[in-house]
Amino acid sequence: MPDVEPRPLAELTTLRTGGIPDRMVEARTTDELVGVVRELWSAGEPVLLVGGGSNLFAGDEPFDGTVVRVLTTGIERMPSPRPGFVRLRVAAGHGWDDLVGYAVAAGLAGIEAMSGIPGTVGAAPIQNIGAYGQEIVQTLVEVDLLDEVDGEVRAVPASDLALGFRTSALKQHYGSVPERVAVILSVTLELAEAGHGERPLAGDQLRTALGLGAGDAVSLAWVRDHVLATRARKGMVLDEGDHDTWSAGSFFQNAVVSAGFARTLPPECPRWPVAPDVVDTVTVYPLATFDGYVPPPTSQESDVKISAAWLIEHAGLGKGFRLARSSRAALSSKHALALTNRGGATAEELSELARFIQGRVQSEFGLILQPEPVLVGVEL
Ligand SMILES: Cc1cc2nc3c(=O)[nH]c(=O)nc-3n(C[C@H](O)[C@H](O)[C@H](O)COP(=O)(O)OP(=O)(O)OC[C@H]3O[C@@H](n4cnc5c(N)ncnc54)[C@H](O)[C@@H]3O)c2cc1C
C-alpha cells in the first residue's frame, strides 16, 4: 500500500486545523485508490478521504484511522451522443479549477462560472458545488463509484446521487451519516462546444455579479477572468498570503425555511423561493364510498432560502469579527460567511466562534445556522 509518513491535517486543509492521523496513504492511481479503500473497509477501519481539504473542518484530536489522500489526475475527452456537446471524464483527484481552465481553453461551456472553487473534481459532486447560478448538477452525467455496500465499482448516473443545494446522498452533514458511503473515482461532465467567440450570457445571477446587461456579449475566457477577480476580492480564491482565504469558503449554509417563518424575518432580509417538491396531485376516491364531496385544492407555498450572511451581519457580527483580541479565529474581513484562521488557530477556537455566531443568530432571528463543511472530530 502507498503508505506515507502521516502529516497533520492542519497542513492538508484550508482551515488549517487537525492533528496527525494514525496512518496516511497517498493514492496516485485509481487502482491504488480502489485497493486501499477496499482493504480498509473490509478490515472495518475508519477511513477519511481527503482531496483538497477545502470543505473539511478537522478537530484538534488526531483522526483515529487512515487518511487516504486522493491524488489521481487526468482528463479524457470523449464524444457525446448530443450534437454540439462533448464529454470529459476526469480523475477524482484532479484539481477542479485546473479542469475549468482546461474547458475554457478548449471553448467548452458549462462550468466557467465555477472558476476558482478550490478542491478536487471527485469532491465536487459531494456537495454539488456551485457559484453564480451554475452548479455541477447541470453538467454532470455520471460518476464512477466504489460502493461500501458491496465493494464494487460501477458507473452511477447523476440522477441517482440526490444532488441538491450544497448536498448529495454522499455528503456527511453535521450530526448525520451520509445516505450512501462511497468513493468517487472519476466524474463525467457534458459540456457545450461554444468556441472562443463572444455571446450573450445566460443567468441573471452571473450577469449581475459581473456587471453585465442582458444583451452584453462576452467570451468564456472573459467570464473566467472576471469570476476569478470577483471571487478574489471576497477572499474566495485560495491565496497563501491572505488569511481571509484560510477558510472552508462559506462556513454556514443559507437557511431554507417555510414561507410562514420567512414572513417573521425583517422584509429587507434577502430571500429566494425554493422550488417545491413535486407531489402526486392525483387523488382516487373509491366509487363505493364517494359521497360527492371533493375538497378544494390546497395551495402549496414554496420554502424560502434565506441569506445566512445577512443574518450574521444583522445579528451584529460584521466582517472581521472575533471573540477576543487573543483569539486566532475571526470572520473574514471580506465576507461575513467565511470563518477564517488568522494563523495558528485551533479547531476549538474556530468552533467557539461558530457556536457564538449560531447563538447570536438564533436569539436574534430564531433559527440555527447549519455548517456547510464536513466536520471530523468537531462538536458544535
Ligand atoms: C476559499 C474557498 C472558497 C470556496 N468556494 C466555494 C464555492 O463557491 N462553491 C462551493 O460549492 N464550494 C466552495 N468551497 C468549498 C469547497 O471548495 C468545495 O466543497 C470543494 O468541492 C471541496 O473539494 P475538496 O477536494 O477540497 O474536498 P475535501 O475538503 O478534501 O473533502 C470534502 C468531503 O468530500 C469527501 N471526499 C473527498 N474526495 C472524495 C472522493 N473522491 N469520493 C468521495 N468522497 C470524497 C471528504 O471525505 C469530505 O467528506 C470553497 C472553499 C474555500 C476554501
Side-chain angles (χ1 to χ4, degrees), residues 113-118 130-132 226-237 334:
M114 293 186 278
S115 292
I117 299 181
Y132 304 118
H226 285 75
V227 164
L228 285 172
T230 306
R231 290 180 64 97
R233 281 196 293 278
K234 296 181 181 170
M236 285 292 159
V237 177
K334 304 183 181 82

Side-chain angles (χ1 to χ4, degrees), residues 15 80 89 248 258 283 330 357:
L15 262 174
S80 160
R89 179 157 58 209
S258 68
T283 311
I357 293 168

Side-chain angles (χ1 to χ4, degrees), residues 14 49 51-55 118-120 123 126-127 129-130 182 184 231 247-249 374:
T14 54
L49 294 165
S54 62
N55 210 32
T120 55
I126 303 290
Q127 72 156 9
I129 60 165
I184 292 182
R231 290 180 64 97
S247 75
V374 174

Side-chain angles (χ1 to χ4, degrees), residues 10 14-18 57 60 242-248 320-333 338-354 357:
T14 54
L15 262 174
R16 297 171 195 240
T17 59
F57 181 19
D60 296 316
D242 181 358
H243 285 267
D244 279 336
T245 76
W246 292 24
S247 75
F321 174 82
R322 67 174 69 193
L323 275 179
R325 281 186 192 286
S326 59
S327 174
R328 295 166 294 183
L331 286 180
S332 159
S333 68
L339 266 69
T340 63
N341 186 334
R342 310 315 291 183
T346 60
E348 188 42 39
E349 280 169 77
L350 283 151
S351 304
E352 243 187 311
L353 178 60
I357 293 168

